[in-house]
């Protein structure tokens, strides 16, 4: 993937409609980044403090019709079923095997977590990473028939590259599994594994046949979502970002935390408004619900990026 | 602190005595790093994989006569005592207030954790960071009468700079508190907060007077020690280091994990042998115990750096 597209400046310019934004003083993201990196300006931020955080699902890549990681979990259930005959008669596995998504959803948070743990643990760190890489290479999105790693947003790739060119360190801060993302973030987004923050399971150091290994344990370690996002940022990054980009109410606390800091700050939400080129969803969506943040964006000076109006392109060619 | 000392190469050369090292094939760290970064050699490692991890206490800075963070906790107990009249009669606070270290130690792991939590939590992230910075500015080491941030090891500062000049990303992986280290690692070691891994307490996102804050909660979140070190590396860095430097049995698992990877690897232990210039301690020390690793170093190809013999200087001038 080319991170240095010639259209970059165009894509950033198309955000001009958001000039009504209060806190950003009518400026576009490009103007704000320019102010943050102008050594002689009052909004100057030292390079070491130029931390930018991005949500992943719905902000950097597609999250409809269901989270990509949920599709991965469902495929894993089918793959692992022969070793688990009991799944034929237990929720949510029974429903998952029958392709009954309503049935899977009916098992609630508890059932979903159980399914995630059963499909994401019980192997070494390396084995899990290989499993994700293999799955991503073969899986295709139901609507677009393309690999999920191609269903990333072109304007965001350009923004990530633009920020890095201006001395920013770019991080991903996602509710998704940290080890589900790390195998592809460098290749796809130019973000190295150590700059990925996400939800995680517990891991155990063990000696196996005289070799040290890390084994993934079926126990939740951290949920990097909602109020967990600023916590994840504190633990992993250790300082407050100056720019945060999300797309749902789950990103609100991260964006509140970012924009509440001293000096010039930038908080952005991607609003999915494009049913033709991608999907249109917000307040009532079962994934990526954007409701409260939509109401509060203006008063807080958060910029809403309208996919349909503001983006010339959605996915890379 | 100047990270680009002219003596750098000298300091690295003084490790030559360790040429008997099995796994490193008679090579010094400098020769190994040269091999790792030689694009045409068989030991070449891509820049993105050049991850080096360093323990902090006893590896980068002084840890005798007691861990610096323990001294900080004791000073905090005295400072906070007026708000805690009950401490006058409860262990381990009673002993701490009386300067009775044996009494503090007698309260065991449970008492020490209680003291750490009482002195490290109950405030916001920013407040804690400020407290550490203020304390470090005023505190003096009992033997050397210098600030702790000056009691860092000159050859290690040179090694960190040397590695970064060769495309390495340098991380700290310490049993110490992650937020106790972050306020000074950039300034002292050139290691930014996001490249520090350590033990931590739980944190909570809260809205206070309409402002989002992170509050430190009196509950242990993670112990980054012994078998916890490879786990901390996996969670924060997401890949296996190619170089690890420690000084005690607490670093063994981290160094095992590092050197067990594919290709050329480098594992090092600092052996404190210099009672004149610093301290001499290993198997029987109550801090930084180096016993098992001392026995197993040779067979595993880990390099033992002898402070007295191998280091021209210990602390920066």
């Amino acid at each position: 993937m080319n991170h240095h597209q010639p259209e970059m400046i165009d894509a950033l310019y198309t955000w001009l409609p958001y000039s009504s934004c209060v806190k950003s003083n009518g400026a576009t993201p490009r103007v704000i980044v320019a102010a943050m990196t102008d050594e002689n300006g009052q909004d100057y931020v030292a390079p070491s403090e130029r931390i930018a955080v991005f949500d992943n699902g719905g902000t950097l890549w597609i999250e409809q019709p269901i989270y990509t990681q949920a599709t991965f979990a469902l495929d894993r259930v089918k793959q692992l079923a022969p070793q688990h005959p009991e799944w034929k008669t237990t929720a949510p596995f029974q429903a998952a095997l029958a392709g009954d998504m309503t049935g899977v959803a009916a098992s609630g948070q508890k059932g979903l977590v159980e399914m995630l743990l059963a499909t994401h643990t019980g192997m070494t760190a390396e084995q899990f990473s290989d499993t994700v890489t293999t799955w991503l290479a073969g899986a295709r999105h139901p609507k677009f028939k393309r690999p999920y790693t191609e269903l990333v947003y072109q304007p965001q790739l350009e923004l990530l590259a633009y920020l890095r060119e201006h001395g920013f360190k770019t991080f991903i801060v996602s509710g998704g599994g940290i080890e589900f993302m790390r195998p592809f973030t460098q290749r796809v987004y130019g973000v190295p594994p150590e700059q990925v923050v996400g939800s995680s399971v517990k891991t155990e150091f063990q000696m196996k046949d005289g070799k040290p290994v890390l084994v993934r344990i079926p126990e939740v370690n951290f949920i990097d979502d909602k109020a967990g996002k600023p916590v994840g940022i504190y633990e992993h990054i250790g300082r407050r970002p100056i720019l945060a980009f999300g797309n749902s109410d789950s990103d609100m606390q991260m964006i509140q935390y970012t924009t509440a800091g001293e000096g010039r700050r930038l908080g952005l939400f991607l609003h999915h408004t494009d049913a033709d080129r991608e999907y249109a969803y917000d307040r009532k969506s079962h994934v990526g619900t954007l409701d409260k943040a939509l109401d509060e964006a203006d008063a807080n000076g958060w910029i809403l990026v309208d996919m349909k109006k503001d983006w010339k392109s959605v996915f890379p060619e």
Side-chain angles (χ1 to χ4, degrees), chain A residues 50-128:
Chain A
R50 291 181 204 159
I51 304 287
V53 292
F54 286 75
D55 169 54
N56 187 38
T59 299
L60 293 181
W61 80 351
I62 204 157
E63 64 178 350
Q64 293 280 8
I66 61 168
Y67 295 123
T68 305
Q69 196 174 353
T71 307
F72 167 75
L74 290 168
D75 284 358
R76 287 278 295 159
V77 168
K78 286 172 202 153
Q79 192 183 29
L80 296 170
Q83 294 145 251
H84 295 276
E86 76 280 9
W87 285 358
K88 280 182 202 152
T89 52
T90 38
F93 303 99
Q94 187 180 11
L97 289 169
D100 167 19
M101 294 310 299
T102 317
V104 170
S107 71
Q109 175 95 357
K110 192 172 160 285
L112 288 173
V113 168
E114 200 187 336
M115 192 173 82
L116 283 171
L117 291 176
T119 53
H120 286 63
T121 68
M123 73 287 278
T124 67
E126 276 86 357
Q127 285 165 345
F128 183 69

Side-chain angles (χ1 to χ4, degrees), chain A residues 21-23 269 292-304:
Chain A
C21 172
V22 178
K23 197 175 175 185
F269 284 90
K292 220 175 152 206
L294 206 52
D295 293 332
E296 299 186 10
D298 237 40
N300 287 289
W302 301 330
I303 295 182
L304 283 163

Side-chain angles (χ1 to χ4, degrees), chain A residues 13-29:
Chain A
Y13 259 125
T14 59
W15 293 350
L16 271 165
Y18 294 93
S19 55
S20 63
C21 172
V22 178
K23 197 175 175 185
S24 65
N25 300 323
T28 65

